[in-house]
Amino acid sequence: DEDTGQEYKSREANTVPLPSLAELMGKIAGVEWDSATLRCIANSTDGSLKSRSPTVDWLASVLDENMVDPFRYMYPAAQGRYTCWNQMTNRRYENMGTRIDYTLIDKSLINCIDSDGSQTLRCCNFSEKDFNSEHAALHAATASGNFQGASFEGGGIASATAKALETQFGDPHTGIIYTAPQYSDHVAISLLLNANFDSFRSTSLTLDVKAISTKKAQPHKAQKSISSFFTPSSSSSSSAKSSAKRGKPTGTNGSKAASSKSKKPKTLFSHFGVKSKEDSKK
């Protein structure tokens, strides 16, 4: 942590993530684990097969410090609701992913979450009533089969049809917005607040763009623009000026070398030995 100087472990030593273990079992041992088996391993309680991630421990500590996860607050029984999948192995189309995109709010704002009972999880064309099920989550992640994975023979991710793209839109809600896989391996999340939030809003908020804390929160502004790669650097400009100050080069007899006419830059025509219309006129 750059602010506190503390170090945090991201993974315990000598552990293998469950998705990697499942892939190894399939490729080396020829044993395929279905989602029920993977869930059984992930939820084992004896400690022999499960190692809690330090990252999960860190997030749990944040939630213990008067913070709330609005998604879990609204849908405590929801299963299989992920926000990121491995695109290289087309895991989205099996809905084997992770939920690593969050909106966290202070517990004092919990009454500001719009929870009038009209909101439901998005499930695309899922026809059953149990929107908390993994089957419903699979419909949502794949737009009921309208999102197609990439071919392992190449060609990239297929562009979604207009019909599939329209499935990501709906009424405002707290939940997950299942954008098309061609855009990212992540999807968007949303938070809907009610009128109670107005009492927390202030019309006198100001942003100090020069403050260090503001700059830390906007690292993208330090990124060079693409146009900067096509302009001369300051070092090359100063080198050119230095050469100009030293004067023109001299010949072997001490006299100044004859200045040659500035050569016209080569064109695409000259590269292939073909005269352009302008050269033909001359």
Side-chain angles (χ1 to χ4, degrees), residues 57-84:
D57 288 335
W58 172 83
L59 181 59
S61 69
V62 171
L63 292 173
D64 288 339
E65 296 175 357
N66 297 317
M67 300 296 287
V68 175
D69 172 8
F71 179 88
R72 190 52 65 193
Y73 171 78
M74 288 286 295
Y75 316 107
Q79 299 179 14
R81 294 290 173 164
Y82 307 124
T83 63
C84 182

Side-chain angles (χ1 to χ4, degrees), residues 81 123 126 128-136:
R81 294 290 173 164
C123 304
F126 185 65
E128 300 176 25
K129 294 182 178 180
D130 187 9
F131 290 170
N132 290 320
S133 68
E134 291 216 10
H135 193 196

Side-chain angles (χ1 to χ4, degrees), residues 8-214:
Y8 299 92
K9 289 187 296 185
S10 61
R11 182 182 298 173
E12 293 285 355
N14 302 318
T15 60
V16 179
L18 185 55
S20 300
L21 179 60
E23 186 176 356
L24 289 171
M25 290 294 293
K27 291 182 176 180
I28 298 176
V31 177
E32 297 293 339
W33 288 342
D34 57 19
S35 58
T37 302
L38 292 171
R39 195 179 306 109
C40 180
I41 296 173
N43 295 331
S44 62
T45 57
D46 61 359
S48 61
L49 297 175
K50 186 177 180 181
S51 175
R52 190 175 174 91
S53 166
T55 309
V56 173
D57 288 335
W58 172 83
L59 181 59
S61 69
V62 171
L63 292 173
D64 288 339
E65 296 175 357
N66 297 317
M67 300 296 287
V68 175
D69 172 8
F71 179 88
R72 190 52 65 193
Y73 171 78
M74 288 286 295
Y75 316 107
Q79 299 179 14
R81 294 290 173 164
Y82 307 124
T83 63
C84 182
W85 301 264
N86 189 330
Q87 297 271 52
M88 293 179 62
T89 53
N90 283 336
R91 291 301 187 187
R92 179 165 179 171
Y93 312 97
E94 305 171 61
N95 197 33
M96 296 179 64
T98 52
R99 187 167 78 93
I100 58 177
D101 300 273
Y102 293 83
T103 299
L104 302 181
I105 65 172
D106 192 90
K107 283 184 179 178
S108 63
L109 297 175
I110 200 167
N111 292 328
C112 299
I113 302 175
D114 194 317
S115 55
D116 61 2
S118 62
Q119 295 188 59
T120 58
L121 286 164
R122 293 187 178 175
C123 304
C124 200
N125 298 328
F126 185 65
S127 57
E128 300 176 25
K129 294 182 178 180
D130 187 9
F131 290 170
N132 290 320
S133 68
E134 291 216 10
H135 193 196
L138 177 62
H139 270 262
T142 62
S144 294
N146 286 302
F147 291 150
Q148 299 296 319
S151 169
F152 289 114
E153 296 180 357
I157 299 174
S159 297
T161 63
K163 178 182 177 181
L165 290 173
E166 287 174 359
T167 64
Q168 64 188 295
F169 302 108
D171 294 330
H173 78 313
T174 294
I176 301 173
I177 302 173
Y178 291 90
T179 49
Q182 70 198 71
Y183 300 138
S184 174
D185 55 347
H186 290 251
V187 292
I189 57 174
S190 59
L191 171 63
L192 181 62
L193 301 175
N194 56 31
N196 293 331
F197 184 64
D198 291 340
S199 61
F200 289 90
R201 296 173 62 185
S202 171
T203 57
S204 61
L205 288 175
T206 57
L207 179 65
D208 185 358
V209 295
K210 295 183 179 180
I212 295 177
S213 56
T214 303

